[in-house]
Amino acid sequence: MKILEHQEKGINYYTLVNNHHMSVTIMDWGATITAIRTHDKDGKFANIILGFDEGADYIDKQSFFGATVARVAGVIKNARWRQYDLTQNAGENHLNGGNMPQISFEPWFLERKLHTSDQVGLVMQYITLDGENGYPGTMTITANFVLDNDGKFTISYTGKSDQTTLFNPTNHTYFNLSGDAERLIDHQILKINADEYAALNKHDIPTGKLPWVTGSPFDFRDRTEIGPQIAQIKGGLRHGFVLNDTPYPTSRIVGPGQRAKINHADECTSRRGFERHELP
């Protein structure tokens, strides 16, 4: 177990490596994951996420590849919460925490490294001030990235504020579990323990209606190939799902060749699925 470090063009990179040579690379700008390299059943290694070759492109193109998104991921209608006017950066709406500044493209502080006999990890922090992007309260956001020797990579977030505020972060990594960026994700298997989903309007904002998934392309309660379902959803999959009481994991994605799988665990009652047709 080890942590490798290097700096390039003002960006710090940290690579977590376990004893089986699986590795995860994270850069300090945006607390962004730039690579996850793992092997398939034949021992062939590949990167299972999408990204750029140059670190500066993550900042310049602002596509959110691998980035930590906070304070709130997603869209807030009319950029308003309670009596607070938030930054309007998606028409009249507020997207991914706002852009004054955009936390996903700012440098984060490495608070400490974690290193035990069976785990390596990073604890990174960002302090967002009272009033930034319209949010009340100065908040310290902590991102924890941990890789263990069994090949499990875990991301967790905490936020501590001196006022009541919103906090709903995420990591915005695009996965292609085949390890081949040219290959479609259609044959990857998805399971979501949800009986209802959130209907969206033309601006991808929830309407408040929660249709049942039964008989619809949103029914992923059993292991289902992604491609045929997405083909039936106008505009693609970008919807929230209302999780049921089924125990961990709340959702799971399995890639071809037994290279990797993703399990999700939540303390909340919903999960959002997202796929993208066109990439920069």
Side-chain angles (χ1 to χ4, degrees), residues 135-171:
Y135 291 103
T138 293
M139 173 178 279
T140 299
I141 302 171
T142 302
N144 300 276
F145 304 97
V146 178
L147 175 66
D148 72 16
N149 217 23
D150 293 325
K152 181 172 72 173
F153 175 54
T154 305
I155 308 169
S156 61
Y157 296 107
T158 60
K160 185 176 181 180
S161 176
D162 56 7
Q163 296 184 46
T164 299
T165 191
L166 287 173
F167 187 58
N168 184 38
T170 195
N171 179 271

Side-chain angles (χ1 to χ4, degrees), residues 122-135:
L122 305 175
V123 179
M124 307 186 83
Q125 290 186 334
Y126 185 92
I127 298 175
T128 174
L129 302 178
D130 179 33
E132 284 186 351
N133 287 299
Y135 291 103

Side-chain angles (χ1 to χ4, degrees), residues 49-82:
I49 69 172
L50 303 184
F52 298 107
D53 293 330
E54 299 292 332
D57 286 339
Y58 287 87
I59 303 164
D60 296 340
K61 294 182 182 298
Q62 299 198 0
S63 61
F64 294 98
F65 280 155
T68 293
V69 179
R71 296 184 186 190
V72 174
V75 180
I76 297 178
K77 184 179 179 180
N78 297 328
R80 188 167 178 83
W81 177 67
R82 294 184 175 177

Side-chain angles (χ1 to χ4, degrees), residues 152-216:
K152 181 172 72 173
F153 175 54
T154 305
I155 308 169
S156 61
Y157 296 107
T158 60
K160 185 176 181 180
S161 176
D162 56 7
Q163 296 184 46
T164 299
T165 191
L166 287 173
F167 187 58
N168 184 38
T170 195
N171 179 271
H172 211 282
T173 293
Y174 289 92
F175 288 91
N176 188 325
L177 299 183
S178 71
D180 180 357
E182 300 296 323
R183 186 173 177 179
L184 297 178
I185 64 170
D186 291 1
H187 298 297
Q188 294 180 143
I189 304 298
L190 176 62
K191 185 179 189 300
I192 304 176
N193 296 322
D195 301 316
E196 301 167 288
Y197 71 96
L200 304 178
N201 65 18
K202 63 180 180 180
H203 301 295
D204 290 338
I205 296 174
T207 64
K209 296 180 180 179
L210 300 173
W212 290 96
V213 300
T214 303
S216 80

Side-chain angles (χ1 to χ4, degrees), residues 27-96:
M27 71 179 193
D28 57 354
W29 283 76
T32 296
I33 300 169
T34 62
I36 300 177
R37 296 182 177 87
T38 188
H39 62 80
D40 62 13
K41 62 182 180 180
D42 298 318
K44 183 180 178 181
F45 278 82
N47 182 13
I48 60 170
I49 69 172
L50 303 184
F52 298 107
D53 293 330
E54 299 292 332
D57 286 339
Y58 287 87
I59 303 164
D60 296 340
K61 294 182 182 298
Q62 299 198 0
S63 61
F64 294 98
F65 280 155
T68 293
V69 179
R71 296 184 186 190
V72 174
V75 180
I76 297 178
K77 184 179 179 180
N78 297 328
R80 188 167 178 83
W81 177 67
R82 294 184 175 177
Q83 71 269 33
Y84 300 100
D85 291 317
L86 309 178
T87 303
Q88 294 181 331
N89 64 323
E92 297 180 348
N93 304 311
H94 177 85
L95 176 66
N96 287 347

Side-chain angles (χ1 to χ4, degrees), residues 201-277:
N201 65 18
K202 63 180 180 180
H203 301 295
D204 290 338
I205 296 174
T207 64
K209 296 180 180 179
L210 300 173
W212 290 96
V213 300
T214 303
S216 80
F218 297 94
D219 193 349
F220 292 96
R221 289 174 294 183
D222 295 320
R223 292 163 50 91
T224 306
E225 274 199 355
I226 295 175
Q229 303 296 95
I230 290 177
Q232 302 177 60
I233 302 172
K234 185 178 180 179
L237 181 63
R238 54 191 67 230
H239 300 69
F241 290 81
V242 182
L243 301 175
N244 57 35
D245 295 330
T246 304
Y248 172 88
T250 56
S251 62
R252 170 178 287 184
I253 306 172
V254 179
Q258 301 178 28
R259 181 183 297 279
K261 63 183 177 183
I262 303 171
N263 291 328
H264 296 113
D266 298 89
E267 295 177 351
C268 54
T269 58
S270 67
R271 163 158 298 284
R272 189 183 185 202
F274 186 85
E275 57 82 29
R276 190 165 174 178
H277 296 287

